[in-house]
Amino acid sequence: MPTSTGVRFWGDWNRFHPDCTPIGYRLKSQAESRWLRFHSLPESKRYPETPTEEAILLDRQTRIAQEVLGENTPCWMVLESWHDLFRKPVLPFRNYHYYLLQHRTRRRFGFKGVGVVDVPEDDCHFRVYATPRKWHAHAFDDLLLEIADDKLDMFWVSRVTGAIFAPYDGGVDLILPDPAQKEELRQTYAEWLSPWDHGL
């Protein structure tokens, strides 16, 4: 029986993204025409190693989120928990800390399970959790740093426009509802784009 959170989440998700699954790394291939990626650090460095680099990452990601989501905008926070198809957690070397942080984050923000998404081509499935929140600049800095350190898999989706802000360890993927906004952001933050033609 779907929870009330699940019913509301899937209602919003299917309204904006009927052809996509709510799994961060799959969004590019499923919505490529609306996808845009920015890197979080100069010279496309993947992980921050100093407080200065953490500050740069948070500044870039916050500025992008403000553009894409908007201050005080109702959003869904979506958390993914990655398992293999035999229902065993993936990546044993990070299991304990990964799932402990997942558990703490779900309790802290009141995440509810909304479904399981199988990805047989990658021999895994995802348990998907969601919670309604409003985006506020710097309210989620600790989460952004955990994501940047590859300790959480999470993204935000606007309940107003459907725009998706999906940080990862290295940058931010965006799914934008308006091609004009995509081009405007590409020009405004051109220095943060990938130097490669494929945009990754």
Side-chain angles (χ1 to χ4, degrees):
M1 185 75 176
T3 65
S4 60
T5 298
V7 170
R8 288 183 291 139
F9 169 76
W10 286 109
D12 286 344
W13 183 263
N14 290 327
R15 179 159 55 101
F16 293 115
H17 306 289
D19 299 323
C20 299
T21 52
I23 305 300
Y25 81 95
R26 293 176 61 81
L27 292 170
K28 175 190 179 297
S29 61
Q30 294 176 332
E32 190 161 10
S33 65
R34 299 181 286 140
W35 167 82
L36 182 62
R37 172 172 287 185
F38 292 107
H39 289 175
S40 295
L41 291 170
E43 300 180 359
S44 299
K45 183 176 181 179
R46 195 164 185 88
Y47 297 103
E49 297 179 300
T50 66
T52 297
E53 289 179 341
E54 288 184 349
I56 292 171
L57 180 149
L58 292 173
D59 177 67
R60 287 190 180 191
Q61 292 194 2
T62 298
R63 288 168 65 182
I64 291 170
Q66 292 292 98
E67 297 259 21
V68 172
L69 300 176
E71 181 67 14
N72 204 39
T73 296
C75 295
W76 287 105
M77 290 170 60
V78 182
L79 179 68
E80 311 153 22
S81 184
W82 189 4
H83 300 252
D84 71 17
L85 286 181
F86 298 101
R87 303 305 192 254
K88 296 178 182 178
V90 173
L91 304 177
F93 66 88
R94 68 181 254 197
N95 280 352
Y96 176 76
H97 295 292
Y98 177 72
Y99 288 99
L100 180 61
L101 180 58
Q102 287 247 341
H103 178 70
R104 288 175 175 171
T105 303
R106 293 199 305 267
R107 290 191 62 181
R108 174 185 170 191
F109 291 99
F111 279 93
K112 304 295 184 184
V114 296
V116 175
V117 176
D118 285 328
V119 187
E121 60 268 35
D122 291 339
D123 295 324
C124 66
H125 80 280
F126 291 84
R127 294 174 183 167
V128 180
Y129 303 85
T131 187
R133 293 277 162 167
K134 291 186 177 181
W135 172 265
H136 294 287
H138 300 295
F140 306 104
D141 281 1
D142 60 326
L143 295 180
L144 295 178
L145 290 176
E146 298 284 9
I147 296 167
D149 201 28
D150 198 23
K151 294 178 181 177
L152 280 177
D153 300 301
M154 182 186 299
F155 64 88
W156 285 254
V157 53
S158 169
R159 301 186 69 183
V160 178
T161 66
I164 293 175
F165 170 80
Y168 68 96
D169 56 325
V172 176
D173 284 335
L174 308 175
I175 304 297
L176 299 162
D178 184 352
Q181 184 185 21
K182 174 179 172 178
E183 186 56 34
E184 181 180 347
L185 289 173
R186 186 195 298 276
Q187 293 182 18
T188 301
Y189 302 106
E191 293 183 358
W192 303 352
L193 292 169
S194 166
W196 301 288
D197 291 340
H198 50 54
L200 296 175

